[in-house]
Amino acid sequence: MELLSELLTDYLTDHGDAEPPLLASINRETHLKETRPHMLSGHYQGRILSMISRLLAPTSILEIGTFTGYATLCLSEGLAPQGCIHTIDINEELQERVQSYFEKSGLAAKIHYHIGPALEVIPTIPELFDLVFIDADKQNNRAYYDLVFDRVRPGGLILIDNVLWKGKVLEKETPDKQTASVLALNAYIAADQRTEKIMLPVRDGIFLIRKKIFIN
Ligand SMILES: C[S@@+](CC[C@H](N)C(=O)[O-])C[C@H]1O[C@@H](n2cnc3c(N)ncnc32)[C@H](O)[C@@H]1O
């Protein structure tokens, strides 16, 4: 189930900022060369990630799930002048191409690109994060959320992609295993008193979660 029709998505993208040329070429190349190109955030979601990042002006960002670096570059657009982004992917096959995109962007010095399983890499990064984007293997989302929570500064944001799971979270029948785990995580986050949160019906659903400054 597509949450937003193609017509509406076109209207939204036509009335927002254009896709920057490098991102448009990454988008094209990903569709030409990858078997699962839909994993890339794309024009509309990418502009939302960019806008959220610009509003926050983060000093430190963590992205879990680099893929072809599309969202990495969108999130980097909002970095504070001295800021940096750590992005992690388990797939080393894309490393050379993705690194070349980072070089072309002029932002390579701000991007720390880690190859390895995120659950092992995250503890090696000694920073507090202002913004975390969780977008890798969905079965680990709860583990990622719990692992990064104490590493997010008060007032910082956690974004989780695919929380509407192609609309399957609304189905009445007994959920399959993956949908059940999405439902369980969404319920866990909804009940988390340490945060303010809102789900955005963007593409496959983004959970926008803000860590409270004062936790009662
Ligand atoms: C949905 S894609 C990321 C898309 C990217 N964030 C974007 O918006 O353009 C998910 C990525 O997570 C990576 N991944 C899967 N399991 C992982 C793990 N355990 N640790 C790190 N990365 C993983 C995959 O290799 C894949 O490239």
Side-chain angles (χ1 to χ4, degrees):
M1 177 178 130
E2 279 298 324
L3 296 168
L4 302 180
S5 71
E6 206 174 310
L7 201 63
L8 178 56
T9 303
D10 287 348
Y11 188 83
L12 296 172
T13 50
D14 286 350
H15 292 79
D17 288 329
E19 190 176 34
L22 175 62
L23 292 177
S25 88
I26 296 173
N27 199 341
R28 263 195 310 278
E29 209 164 305
T30 302
H31 279 81
L32 284 173
K33 296 186 174 166
E34 298 309 315
T35 48
R36 297 172 68 201
H38 61 274
M39 292 204 299
L40 162 147
S41 277
H43 182 173
Y44 182 57
Q45 178 161 311
R47 290 306 85 206
I48 287 179
L49 295 175
S50 166
M51 180 64 85
I52 290 172
S53 182
R54 286 174 195 273
L55 289 169
L56 195 67
T59 298
S60 180
I61 303 176
L62 171 67
E63 178 187 35
I64 307 175
T66 317
F67 190 39
T68 50
Y70 190 97
T72 318
L73 293 173
C74 296
L75 292 166
S76 300
E77 291 172 15
L79 278 171
Q82 301 309 318
C84 70
I85 179 165
H86 291 266
T87 184
I88 309 170
D89 206 290
I90 201 166
N91 182 3
E92 62 186 4
E93 284 171 22
L94 290 172
Q95 187 175 9
E96 210 174 303
R97 175 147 50 101
V98 172
Q99 188 59 45
S100 81
Y101 296 148
F102 293 160
E103 303 296 335
K104 277 188 199 154
S105 73
L107 293 165
K110 291 172 174 282
I111 302 174
H112 303 289
Y113 180 24
H114 308 261
I115 299 293
L119 287 174
E120 288 176 25
V121 175
I122 294 166
T124 70
I125 305 172
E127 269 154 61
L128 265 191
F129 303 110
D130 299 311
L131 173 56
V132 176
F133 181 41
I134 300 177
D135 188 21
D137 47 337
K138 310 304 163 190
Q139 74 275 16
N140 273 325
N141 275 0
R142 169 73 189 265
Y144 294 140
Y145 183 79
D146 288 338
L147 182 62
V148 299
F149 197 88
D150 289 340
R151 309 279 308 281
V152 175
R153 71 156 171 82
L157 301 179
I158 301 174
L159 306 175
I160 307 179
D161 200 10
N162 307 105
V163 290
L164 295 177
W165 207 235
K166 299 183 184 72
K168 288 188 181 179
V169 292
L170 302 177
E171 286 174 359
K172 295 275 178 280
E173 55 264 33
T174 311
D176 58 44
K177 202 170 154 214
Q178 284 181 316
T179 307
S181 90
V182 174
L183 287 166
L185 179 66
N186 290 346
Y188 175 70
I189 292 171
D192 190 344
Q193 296 300 312
R194 304 170 297 173
T195 64
E196 289 117 5
K197 55 262 170 194
I198 182 84
M199 267 190 195
L200 307 176
V202 172
R203 228 173 57 125
D204 199 23
I206 299 179
F207 225 141
L208 171 57
I209 303 150
R210 179 176 181 267
K211 186 166 169 176
K212 283 182 184 170
I213 293 182
F214 300 108
I215 299 175
N216 319 315

